[in-house]
Amino acid sequence: GVNLEGSQFKQADLAGSHLRNVHLGQANLSSAKLSRANLQEADLTDAYLVGTDLSKANMTRAELCSADLFGADLTEASLGGAKLEKANLQRAKLAEANLRKADLSGANLAKAVLRDAILAGAEPIGASLVGADLSGADLSETNMAGADLFGADLSAADLGRANMVEADLNRAQLSNTNLQEADLSGANLSGATL
């Protein structure tokens, strides 16, 4: 694909753009408009996407390792199979996003909104989901071993067959949550609302 590594696209209007397989590593796309853009298999490693509008973007199998997506809008975005290891998704809007089988190891999703998102089979191993809104989310078969879910809202979420070994669920909201066959070995449930 085209190599645009390190490029400056701050506040650019790239809505609906076809950027499949493009190399945008370390690019500055802060506050850019990329809604409905095709970023399938794009390389956005270490990219700066703070406040970027990626709503309804197709980012299937995209590389977003260590990318800064603080406050980005990823509402209804497709991120299936995406690599988001150590990405900063603090306060990001991911409502109804598809993160099926995405790698979120070590990612920061503190206070992120993942309401009704699909994370089935995803791997947020050791991720920070402190205060995140995961209400109604599909987290079935998710590997959340060691994840920090302090104060997270998991009400009406599906955690069926999820690996929650040693996860911190202190003060988490778990009302009407499906925990069928979930592995909660060593998990901290003190102060959690069941």
Side-chain angles (χ1 to χ4, degrees), residues 2-161:
V2 178
N3 189 347
L4 297 170
E5 198 165 325
S7 297
Q8 297 292 318
F9 292 105
K10 187 175 181 181
Q11 297 179 336
D13 189 348
L14 300 166
S17 296
H18 295 280
L19 299 164
R20 183 180 181 142
N21 227 6
V22 172
H23 296 280
L24 287 157
Q26 299 177 344
N28 184 348
L29 292 146
S30 63
S31 300
K33 290 182 178 88
L34 284 155
S35 59
R36 299 181 191 277
N38 182 352
L39 288 153
Q40 270 185 294
E41 299 171 359
D43 184 354
L44 291 146
T45 303
D46 290 315
Y48 192 67
L49 297 147
V50 173
T52 302
D53 180 0
L54 290 154
S55 57
K56 297 184 180 177
N58 184 350
M59 301 174 81
T60 307
R61 295 181 304 283
E63 297 267 349
L64 290 143
C65 300
S66 300
D68 191 350
L69 292 135
F70 182 93
D73 185 354
L74 293 135
T75 306
E76 295 182 52
S78 295
L79 290 146
K83 293 187 176 140
L84 291 141
E85 298 106 316
K86 297 183 179 162
N88 180 14
L89 290 149
Q90 246 185 310
R91 298 186 183 275
K93 297 174 192 95
L94 291 142
E96 298 181 48
N98 181 354
L99 290 142
R100 187 181 302 274
K101 296 190 177 177
D103 187 349
L104 293 151
S105 316
N108 184 353
L109 291 135
K111 303 224 180 214
V113 176
L114 293 132
R115 193 173 24 256
D116 298 319
I118 300 166
L119 288 108
E123 298 202 356
I125 303 165
S128 172
L129 290 140
V130 175
D133 180 356
L134 292 146
S135 56
D138 179 358
L139 296 153
S140 57
E141 298 181 20
T142 300
N143 188 351
M144 300 181 88
D148 188 352
L149 291 140
F150 180 91
D153 184 354
L154 292 151
S155 52
D158 182 0
L159 286 161
R161 297 175 305 285

Side-chain angles (χ1 to χ4, degrees), residues 129 132-137 139 144 147-160 162 164 167-180 182-184 187-194:
L129 290 140
D133 180 356
L134 292 146
S135 56
L139 296 153
M144 300 181 88
D148 188 352
L149 291 140
F150 180 91
D153 184 354
L154 292 151
S155 52
D158 182 0
L159 286 161
M164 307 287 289
D168 185 358
L169 292 155
N170 188 7
R171 297 193 182 181
Q173 298 292 319
L174 295 163
S175 53
N176 298 316
T177 301
N178 175 18
L179 293 164
Q180 190 172 348
D183 188 349
L184 292 155
N188 178 5
L189 290 157
S190 63
T193 305
L194 295 168

